[in-house]
Amino acid sequence: MPTDTATRIRLYRDYTGASHQAALDAVRSATHGIPPANTPEQAVLEAQLLAEFGRLGGEYWAHPLGISRVWHRPTGLAIWLDSHTILSSGEHHPASAAIVDGILPYWDPDSEVFGIPGLRVAGHRGALHLRSLCGRGAAVTLYGIQGTPWRQILRDRSAALVESGAVPLWNEPKLTPSEIDHLKQFPDVGANRKDIAWFGSGLLRRINLLYTHIDAYSAHAWVTEDRWSVEFSSSQTPQLGHDHFTTMLSDTSFGLPLQVAHRYCSCLTSQRYPAASCRIEMRIPDLTGSVDLRFQHWASEQTRERRGLLHQ
């Protein structure tokens, strides 16, 4: 690990997006670069959140996945959200509302439980404070832009669900029968798995890498069995930029102890063709699960014209 404070602060900010003061406080108290989740349950909650952010927040936010920065706290993870995205209709859609729609649990009597089972709202003054009933002490705090009306967002979401015949669950004091049934039916599916939560939690705690070291206009993340997949879409020439990203992600001080298992790269051919697709599979030896990083390059019309590809 770098020993000088200035370098550690810079790296901490590169990985997390934190302010200078938050980074200074972190490096003064940390014994390693980025602290891991303090319990397996905390790691699962963070992995569940990453999967939901990856499903919902992948398109056209200011930052990939709609997260501008994170801050590691002893009591849980603090996450700062982007302001909004602009829909095709021209409507501004707040990131805070989009995330609430995706992560807070509700029961559809005609179907199943949606959102993250067991997730509860612990407070909404100044931020949205969340805790999990499925893990003692597992908690996160979501910060929107200044003035985000969390109370109204929650009311609007609840009213919309009730009108559609669904039942909001995020204020229930205990796990509901529908959630218990859901967890019994899907005990180790996707991001719920403790044995592969290390990557979802680890990447969320290093979320700013997706902004500082990948030139992508969108990102998506999902889980299939024991494999995490993260896909980045870019309209710029890749020029092997993913190698720098994977180097940072697997850095021995601030990254995860990942090793490249398989690599397929078509960046060089993208100089002659309007699209490129690269994939890098990474693993941590002796741990369950793998990471499938996908880098999709779709040349813009201007880029294609500049490279003489527009009419090919």
Side-chain angles (χ1 to χ4, degrees):
M1 174 186 287
T3 56
D4 63 293
T5 300
T7 299
R8 293 173 63 196
I9 288 174
R10 177 181 58 78
L11 287 171
Y12 188 91
R13 297 188 68 187
D14 275 352
Y15 279 81
T16 66
S19 67
H20 178 85
Q21 186 60 53
L24 177 60
D25 293 342
V27 300
R28 281 175 171 172
S29 60
T31 56
H32 41 69
I34 304 293
N38 56 5
T39 65
E41 292 78 14
Q42 179 70 29
V44 169
L45 176 58
E46 293 174 10
Q48 291 172 323
L49 286 169
L50 182 78
E52 288 298 327
F53 276 106
R55 184 175 67 87
L56 297 165
E59 296 283 359
Y60 312 117
W61 303 102
H63 299 81
L65 303 186
I67 303 172
S68 63
R69 66 185 189 273
V70 297
W71 186 19
H72 313 108
R73 294 173 171 171
T75 56
L77 191 67
I79 302 171
W80 275 261
L81 306 177
D82 279 338
S83 170
H84 65 277
T85 190
I86 301 177
L87 304 179
S88 58
S89 62
E91 177 187 358
H92 284 214
H93 190 43
S96 51
I99 297 307
V100 161
D101 289 357
I103 66 175
L104 293 186
Y106 66 92
W107 176 49
D108 181 347
D110 295 326
S111 183
E112 57 182 296
V113 172
F114 295 90
I116 300 177
L119 191 63
R120 297 295 186 263
V121 173
H124 49 69
R125 178 173 295 182
L128 190 63
H129 304 278
L130 302 170
R131 63 186 179 93
S132 174
L133 298 181
C134 298
R136 181 178 299 177
V140 297
T141 302
L142 302 183
Y143 289 89
I145 61 171
Q146 186 174 3
T148 296
W150 289 110
R151 180 191 294 271
Q152 190 61 49
I153 290 171
L154 294 171
R155 285 177 176 174
D156 291 346
R157 178 58 173 162
S158 180
L161 289 171
V162 171
E163 184 178 357
S164 68
V167 181
L169 303 176
W170 57 81
N171 289 320
E172 296 295 327
K174 298 181 180 180
L175 284 174
T176 63
S178 58
E179 289 174 301
I180 293 172
D181 289 344
H182 181 93
L183 292 170
K184 286 181 178 178
Q185 187 175 359
F186 307 104
D188 293 305
V189 175
N192 299 332
R193 292 181 52 166
K194 287 184 180 180
D195 58 347
I196 62 170
W198 56 266
F199 178 74
S201 172
L203 183 59
L204 184 59
R205 287 171 171 257
R206 296 162 176 82
I207 197 65
N208 204 50
L209 286 181
L210 276 61
Y211 182 68
T212 56
H213 295 285
I214 288 291
D215 186 10
Y217 61 78
S218 76
H220 295 84
W222 65 94
V223 183
T224 305
E225 296 182 349
D226 66 350
R227 179 190 297 264
W228 278 90
S229 296
V230 186
E231 183 176 84
F232 305 95
S233 297
S234 171
S235 60
Q236 303 299 318
T237 304
Q239 296 179 336
L240 306 179
H242 48 61
D243 287 351
H244 181 57
F245 172 77
T246 54
T247 297
M248 295 292 290
L249 184 61
S250 58
D251 178 77
T252 55
S253 297
F254 282 80
L256 296 165
L258 289 160
Q259 296 179 4
V260 174
H262 300 286
R263 182 178 184 276
Y264 170 79
C265 176
S266 62
C267 285
L268 297 180
T269 61
S270 71
Q271 299 299 316
R272 301 188 301 274
Y273 300 100
S277 178
C278 307
R279 294 181 66 171
I280 300 175
E281 182 181 342
M282 307 186 77
R283 296 177 179 271
I284 295 180
D286 302 323
L287 283 188
T288 300
S290 63
V291 182
D292 180 25
L293 301 174
R294 307 181 183 194
F295 303 87
Q296 305 292 337
H297 160 57
W298 308 97
S300 65
E301 184 172 313
Q302 292 82 359
T303 301
R304 293 168 62 192
E305 185 173 20
R306 185 175 64 250
R307 285 155 47 190
L309 299 171
L310 189 58
H311 303 296
Q312 291 186 9

